[in-house]
Short mmCIF file of all heavy atoms in Angstrom, two decimals:
data_model
loop_
_atom_site.label_atom_id
_atom_site.label_comp_id
_atom_site.label_asym_id
_atom_site.label_seq_id
_atom_site.Cartn_x
_atom_site.Cartn_y
_atom_site.Cartn_z
N THR R 6 138.64 22.65 67.10
CA THR R 6 138.55 21.99 68.41
C THR R 6 138.64 23.06 69.48
O THR R 6 139.04 24.20 69.18
CB THR R 6 139.65 20.92 68.58
OG1 THR R 6 139.40 20.17 69.78
CG2 THR R 6 141.05 21.54 68.68
N TYR R 7 138.24 22.72 70.68
CA TYR R 7 138.19 23.70 71.77
C TYR R 7 138.81 23.10 73.01
O TYR R 7 138.74 21.89 73.25
CB TYR R 7 136.74 24.10 72.08
CG TYR R 7 136.03 24.86 70.99
CD1 TYR R 7 135.41 24.20 69.94
CD2 TYR R 7 136.00 26.25 71.00
CE1 TYR R 7 134.76 24.89 68.93
CE2 TYR R 7 135.35 26.95 69.99
CZ TYR R 7 134.73 26.27 68.96
OH TYR R 7 134.09 26.98 67.96
N GLY R 8 139.38 23.99 73.84
CA GLY R 8 139.90 23.48 75.12
C GLY R 8 140.72 24.51 75.87
O GLY R 8 140.95 25.61 75.40
N THR R 9 141.17 24.10 77.06
CA THR R 9 141.99 24.96 77.90
C THR R 9 143.48 24.80 77.57
O THR R 9 144.26 25.74 77.60
CB THR R 9 141.75 24.61 79.39
OG1 THR R 9 140.35 24.79 79.67
CG2 THR R 9 142.57 25.46 80.32
N PHE R 10 143.88 23.56 77.26
CA PHE R 10 145.26 23.25 76.85
C PHE R 10 146.29 23.83 77.82
O PHE R 10 147.28 24.44 77.42
CB PHE R 10 145.52 23.72 75.41
CG PHE R 10 144.68 22.98 74.41
CD1 PHE R 10 143.51 23.54 73.92
CD2 PHE R 10 145.05 21.71 73.98
CE1 PHE R 10 142.73 22.86 72.98
CE2 PHE R 10 144.27 21.01 73.05
CZ PHE R 10 143.11 21.59 72.56
N ASP R 11 146.02 23.66 79.11
CA ASP R 11 146.96 24.15 80.12
C ASP R 11 148.09 23.14 80.30
O ASP R 11 147.87 21.92 80.21
CB ASP R 11 146.22 24.33 81.46
CG ASP R 11 147.05 25.09 82.50
OD1 ASP R 11 147.94 25.87 82.08
OD2 ASP R 11 146.83 24.86 83.70
N HIS R 14 150.63 19.03 77.06
CA HIS R 14 151.27 17.71 77.25
C HIS R 14 150.92 16.79 76.08
O HIS R 14 150.16 17.16 75.17
CB HIS R 14 150.83 17.09 78.57
CG HIS R 14 149.35 16.98 78.74
ND1 HIS R 14 148.55 16.15 77.98
CD2 HIS R 14 148.51 17.64 79.58
CE1 HIS R 14 147.30 16.26 78.36
NE2 HIS R 14 147.24 17.16 79.31
N TYR R 15 151.48 15.59 76.11
CA TYR R 15 151.37 14.69 74.94
C TYR R 15 149.92 14.26 74.68
O TYR R 15 149.57 13.92 73.55
CB TYR R 15 152.30 13.48 75.07
CG TYR R 15 152.07 12.56 76.25
CD1 TYR R 15 151.20 11.48 76.15
CD2 TYR R 15 152.73 12.77 77.47
CE1 TYR R 15 150.98 10.63 77.23
CE2 TYR R 15 152.52 11.92 78.55
CZ TYR R 15 151.65 10.86 78.42
OH TYR R 15 151.43 10.02 79.49
N GLY R 16 149.08 14.32 75.70
CA GLY R 16 147.65 14.01 75.46
C GLY R 16 147.03 15.06 74.54
O GLY R 16 146.30 14.74 73.59
N HIS R 17 147.36 16.33 74.81
CA HIS R 17 146.88 17.42 73.95
C HIS R 17 147.48 17.29 72.54
O HIS R 17 146.77 17.41 71.54
CB HIS R 17 147.32 18.77 74.52
CG HIS R 17 146.72 19.12 75.84
ND1 HIS R 17 147.47 19.70 76.86
CD2 HIS R 17 145.47 18.99 76.33
CE1 HIS R 17 146.70 19.91 77.90
NE2 HIS R 17 145.47 19.49 77.62
N ARG R 19 148.60 14.70 70.95
CA ARG R 19 148.04 13.58 70.17
C ARG R 19 146.64 13.92 69.65
O ARG R 19 146.23 13.50 68.58
CB ARG R 19 148.03 12.31 71.02
CG ARG R 19 149.43 11.77 71.26
CD ARG R 19 149.47 10.54 72.16
NE ARG R 19 150.85 10.19 72.48
CZ ARG R 19 151.17 9.25 73.38
NH1 ARG R 19 150.22 8.57 74.02
NH2 ARG R 19 152.43 8.99 73.62
N LEU R 20 145.90 14.68 70.43
CA LEU R 20 144.55 15.10 70.00
C LEU R 20 144.68 16.06 68.82
O LEU R 20 144.03 15.88 67.79
CB LEU R 20 143.85 15.77 71.19
CG LEU R 20 142.38 16.18 71.12
CD1 LEU R 20 142.17 17.47 70.36
CD2 LEU R 20 141.46 15.08 70.60
N ARG R 23 145.91 14.31 65.55
CA ARG R 23 144.86 13.51 64.89
C ARG R 23 143.77 14.41 64.30
O ARG R 23 143.27 14.15 63.20
CB ARG R 23 144.26 12.52 65.89
CG ARG R 23 145.18 11.34 66.22
CD ARG R 23 144.57 10.44 67.28
NE ARG R 23 144.53 11.11 68.58
CZ ARG R 23 143.75 10.71 69.60
NH1 ARG R 23 142.94 9.68 69.45
NH2 ARG R 23 143.78 11.36 70.74
N GLY R 34 139.91 26.73 69.43
CA GLY R 34 139.19 27.70 70.27
C GLY R 34 139.73 27.55 71.69
O GLY R 34 139.44 26.55 72.35
N SER R 36 140.19 28.35 75.52
CA SER R 36 139.41 28.94 76.61
C SER R 36 140.15 30.12 77.24
O SER R 36 141.31 29.98 77.64
CB SER R 36 139.15 27.90 77.70
OG SER R 36 138.61 26.72 77.15
N PHE R 40 136.64 32.54 80.85
CA PHE R 40 135.76 31.41 80.55
C PHE R 40 136.12 30.22 81.43
O PHE R 40 135.25 29.49 81.92
CB PHE R 40 135.83 31.04 79.07
CG PHE R 40 134.92 29.89 78.67
CD1 PHE R 40 133.59 29.86 79.08
CD2 PHE R 40 135.40 28.85 77.89
CE1 PHE R 40 132.75 28.81 78.72
CE2 PHE R 40 134.57 27.78 77.53
CZ PHE R 40 133.25 27.76 77.95
N ASN R 41 137.41 30.04 81.66
CA ASN R 41 137.83 28.92 82.53
C ASN R 41 137.18 29.03 83.91
O ASN R 41 136.79 28.03 84.50
CB ASN R 41 139.36 28.90 82.67
CG ASN R 41 139.99 28.04 81.58
OD1 ASN R 41 139.36 27.13 81.04
ND2 ASN R 41 141.22 28.33 81.26
N LYS R 44 134.04 27.56 83.87
CA LYS R 44 134.14 26.10 83.76
C LYS R 44 134.64 25.50 85.08
O LYS R 44 134.85 24.30 85.20
CB LYS R 44 135.13 25.69 82.64
CG LYS R 44 134.67 25.95 81.24
CD LYS R 44 135.44 25.12 80.19
CE LYS R 44 136.84 25.51 80.01
NZ LYS R 44 137.53 24.79 78.90
N LYS R 46 137.59 26.04 86.29
CA LYS R 46 139.01 25.67 86.11
C LYS R 46 139.88 26.90 86.30
O LYS R 46 139.55 27.99 85.87
CB LYS R 46 139.23 25.18 84.66
CG LYS R 46 138.86 23.75 84.38
CD LYS R 46 139.29 23.38 82.94
CE LYS R 46 139.78 21.96 82.87
NZ LYS R 46 140.21 21.56 81.53
N GLU R 71 138.11 31.20 73.12
CA GLU R 71 136.81 30.60 73.46
C GLU R 71 136.32 31.33 74.70
O GLU R 71 136.84 31.14 75.80
CB GLU R 71 136.94 29.10 73.74
CG GLU R 71 135.60 28.48 74.06
CD GLU R 71 135.69 27.06 74.57
OE1 GLU R 71 136.71 26.69 75.18
OE2 GLU R 71 134.72 26.32 74.36
N ASN R 73 132.88 31.67 75.64
CA ASN R 73 131.63 31.16 76.23
C ASN R 73 131.24 29.86 75.53
O ASN R 73 131.81 29.48 74.51
CB ASN R 73 130.51 32.20 76.08
CG ASN R 73 130.35 32.62 74.63
OD1 ASN R 73 130.02 31.80 73.77
ND2 ASN R 73 130.66 33.89 74.34
N TRP R 74 130.21 29.19 76.07
CA TRP R 74 129.75 27.92 75.45
C TRP R 74 129.01 28.18 74.16
O TRP R 74 128.95 27.36 73.26
CB TRP R 74 128.84 27.17 76.42
CG TRP R 74 129.52 26.62 77.63
CD1 TRP R 74 129.40 27.08 78.92
CD2 TRP R 74 130.42 25.51 77.69
NE1 TRP R 74 130.19 26.33 79.75
CE2 TRP R 74 130.82 25.36 79.03
CE3 TRP R 74 130.93 24.63 76.73
CZ2 TRP R 74 131.70 24.37 79.45
CZ3 TRP R 74 131.81 23.62 77.13
CH2 TRP R 74 132.20 23.50 78.49
N LYS R 77 130.08 28.54 69.56
CA LYS R 77 130.50 27.52 68.59
C LYS R 77 129.75 27.57 67.26
O LYS R 77 130.38 27.57 66.21
CB LYS R 77 130.43 26.14 69.23
CG LYS R 77 131.44 25.98 70.38
CD LYS R 77 131.48 24.56 70.92
CE LYS R 77 132.51 24.43 72.03
NZ LYS R 77 132.15 25.12 73.27
N VAL R 90 136.16 18.59 66.28
CA VAL R 90 136.81 17.41 66.90
C VAL R 90 137.01 17.67 68.39
O VAL R 90 137.44 18.75 68.78
CB VAL R 90 138.18 17.14 66.24
CG1 VAL R 90 138.93 16.03 66.97
CG2 VAL R 90 138.00 16.78 64.77
N MET R 91 136.66 16.67 69.21
CA MET R 91 136.92 16.76 70.65
C MET R 91 137.38 15.40 71.13
O MET R 91 137.19 14.38 70.47
CB MET R 91 135.65 17.17 71.41
CG MET R 91 135.17 18.58 71.17
SD MET R 91 136.34 19.87 71.62
CE MET R 91 136.34 19.71 73.41
N GLY R 92 137.97 15.40 72.31
CA GLY R 92 138.33 14.14 72.95
C GLY R 92 137.07 13.40 73.39
O GLY R 92 136.02 14.01 73.62
N SER R 93 137.21 12.10 73.57
CA SER R 93 136.05 11.23 73.84
C SER R 93 135.34 11.55 75.16
O SER R 93 134.20 11.17 75.37
CB SER R 93 136.50 9.76 73.86
OG SER R 93 137.66 9.63 74.68
N ASP R 94 136.02 12.31 76.03
CA ASP R 94 135.36 12.66 77.30
C ASP R 94 134.17 13.60 77.06
O ASP R 94 133.33 13.78 77.93
CB ASP R 94 136.34 13.27 78.31
CG ASP R 94 137.25 14.34 77.70
OD1 ASP R 94 137.70 14.14 76.56
OD2 ASP R 94 137.50 15.35 78.36
N TRP R 95 134.07 14.16 75.86
CA TRP R 95 132.96 15.07 75.54
C TRP R 95 131.86 14.40 74.72
O TRP R 95 130.84 15.02 74.40
CB TRP R 95 133.48 16.31 74.82
CG TRP R 95 134.23 17.21 75.74
CD1 TRP R 95 135.58 17.28 75.91
CD2 TRP R 95 133.65 18.12 76.68
NE1 TRP R 95 135.87 18.21 76.89
CE2 TRP R 95 134.72 18.73 77.37
CE3 TRP R 95 132.35 18.49 77.01
CZ2 TRP R 95 134.51 19.70 78.36
CZ3 TRP R 95 132.13 19.46 77.98
CH2 TRP R 95 133.21 20.05 78.66
N PHE R 101 127.75 19.52 73.09
CA PHE R 101 128.24 19.30 71.72
C PHE R 101 127.24 18.64 70.79
O PHE R 101 127.20 18.95 69.61
CB PHE R 101 129.54 18.47 71.77
CG PHE R 101 130.70 19.25 72.26
CD1 PHE R 101 131.02 19.27 73.61
CD2 PHE R 101 131.45 20.02 71.38
CE1 PHE R 101 132.08 20.02 74.07
CE2 PHE R 101 132.52 20.78 71.85
CZ PHE R 101 132.83 20.79 73.19
N LEU R 113 137.63 11.81 69.45
CA LEU R 113 138.81 10.94 69.36
C LEU R 113 139.16 10.42 70.76
O LEU R 113 138.94 11.11 71.74
CB LEU R 113 140.00 11.76 68.81
CG LEU R 113 139.77 12.38 67.42
CD1 LEU R 113 140.93 13.30 67.07
CD2 LEU R 113 139.61 11.29 66.38
N SER R 114 139.72 9.25 70.82
CA SER R 114 140.01 8.64 72.13
C SER R 114 140.94 9.54 72.95
O SER R 114 141.94 10.06 72.44
CB SER R 114 140.68 7.28 71.93
OG SER R 114 141.84 7.44 71.13
N ARG R 115 140.60 9.69 74.17
CA ARG R 115 141.39 10.51 75.09
C ARG R 115 142.64 9.72 75.48
O ARG R 115 142.59 8.50 75.61
CB ARG R 115 140.53 10.80 76.34
CG ARG R 115 141.10 11.80 77.30
CD ARG R 115 140.20 11.92 78.54
NE ARG R 115 140.90 12.57 79.63
CZ ARG R 115 140.95 13.88 79.82
NH1 ARG R 115 140.29 14.67 79.01
NH2 ARG R 115 141.62 14.42 80.82
N THR R 116 143.77 10.37 75.63
CA THR R 116 145.02 9.69 76.01
C THR R 116 145.02 9.44 77.51
O THR R 116 144.86 10.38 78.30
CB THR R 116 146.24 10.55 75.62
OG1 THR R 116 146.18 10.81 74.22
CG2 THR R 116 147.55 9.88 75.98
N HIS R 117 145.16 8.17 77.90
CA HIS R 117 145.12 7.83 79.32
C HIS R 117 146.43 8.17 80.03
O HIS R 117 147.48 8.21 79.40
CB HIS R 117 144.83 6.32 79.49
CG HIS R 117 143.46 5.95 79.00
ND1 HIS R 117 142.31 6.39 79.61
CD2 HIS R 117 143.06 5.24 77.90
CE1 HIS R 117 141.25 5.94 78.93
NE2 HIS R 117 141.68 5.24 77.89
N GLY R 118 146.32 8.44 81.34
CA GLY R 118 147.52 8.57 82.18
C GLY R 118 148.15 9.95 82.21
O GLY R 118 149.18 10.14 82.85
N ILE R 119 147.53 10.91 81.54
CA ILE R 119 148.11 12.27 81.57
C ILE R 119 146.97 13.29 81.61
O ILE R 119 145.94 13.08 80.95
CB ILE R 119 149.03 12.52 80.36
CG1 ILE R 119 149.70 13.89 80.43
CG2 ILE R 119 148.27 12.34 79.05
CD1 ILE R 119 150.84 13.99 81.39
N SER R 120 147.15 14.32 82.39
CA SER R 120 146.17 15.43 82.40
C SER R 120 146.84 16.66 82.99
O SER R 120 147.83 16.55 83.74
CB SER R 120 144.95 15.06 83.27
OG SER R 120 145.33 15.08 84.64
N SER R 121 146.31 17.81 82.67
CA SER R 121 146.86 19.06 83.22
C SER R 121 146.74 19.06 84.74
O SER R 121 147.63 19.50 85.45
CB SER R 121 146.11 20.26 82.63
OG SER R 121 146.10 20.18 81.23
N1 C2G F 1 142.61 15.51 75.95
C1 C2G F 1 143.01 14.24 75.53
N2 C2G F 1 143.77 13.47 76.35
C2 C2G F 1 144.15 13.94 77.57
C3 C2G F 1 143.77 15.23 78.00
C4 C2G F 1 142.99 16.00 77.16
O1 C2G F 1 142.66 13.80 74.42
N3 C2G F 1 144.92 13.13 78.36
C5 C2G F 1 141.77 16.30 75.05
C6 C2G F 1 140.40 16.63 75.64
O2 C2G F 1 139.50 15.56 75.41
C7 C2G F 1 140.03 17.89 74.87
C8 C2G F 1 141.38 18.56 74.60
O3 C2G F 1 142.39 17.55 74.82
O4 C2G F 1 139.42 17.55 73.63
C9 C2G F 1 141.64 19.72 75.53
O5 C2G F 1 141.48 19.27 76.86
P1 C2G F 1 141.28 20.37 78.02
O6 C2G F 1 142.29 21.41 77.88
O7 C2G F 1 141.11 19.63 79.31
O8 C2G F 1 139.90 21.03 77.56
P2 C2G F 1 138.50 21.00 78.35
O9 C2G F 1 138.68 21.51 79.72
O10 C2G F 1 137.95 19.66 78.12
O11 C2G F 1 137.68 22.15 77.59
O12 C2G F 1 134.26 23.96 74.90
C10 C2G F 1 135.02 22.83 75.22
C11 C2G F 1 135.91 23.06 76.39
O13 C2G F 1 136.64 24.26 76.26
C12 C2G F 1 136.85 21.87 76.52
#
Side-chain angles (χ1 to χ4, degrees):
T6 189
Y7 293 85
T9 301
F10 295 99
D11 191 25
H14 55 68
Y15 61 89
H17 295 138
R19 290 177 187 172
L20 187 281
R23 286 176 291 162
S36 308
F40 181 47
N41 271 334
K44 290 200 290 186
K46 278 186 143 181
E71 181 189 29
N73 55 62
W74 291 108
K77 295 186 178 70
V90 174
M91 291 300 291
S93 48
D94 46 321
W95 288 97
F101 287 91
L113 301 173
S114 56
R115 189 184 163 88
T116 303
H117 295 293
I119 184 77
S120 72
S121 307

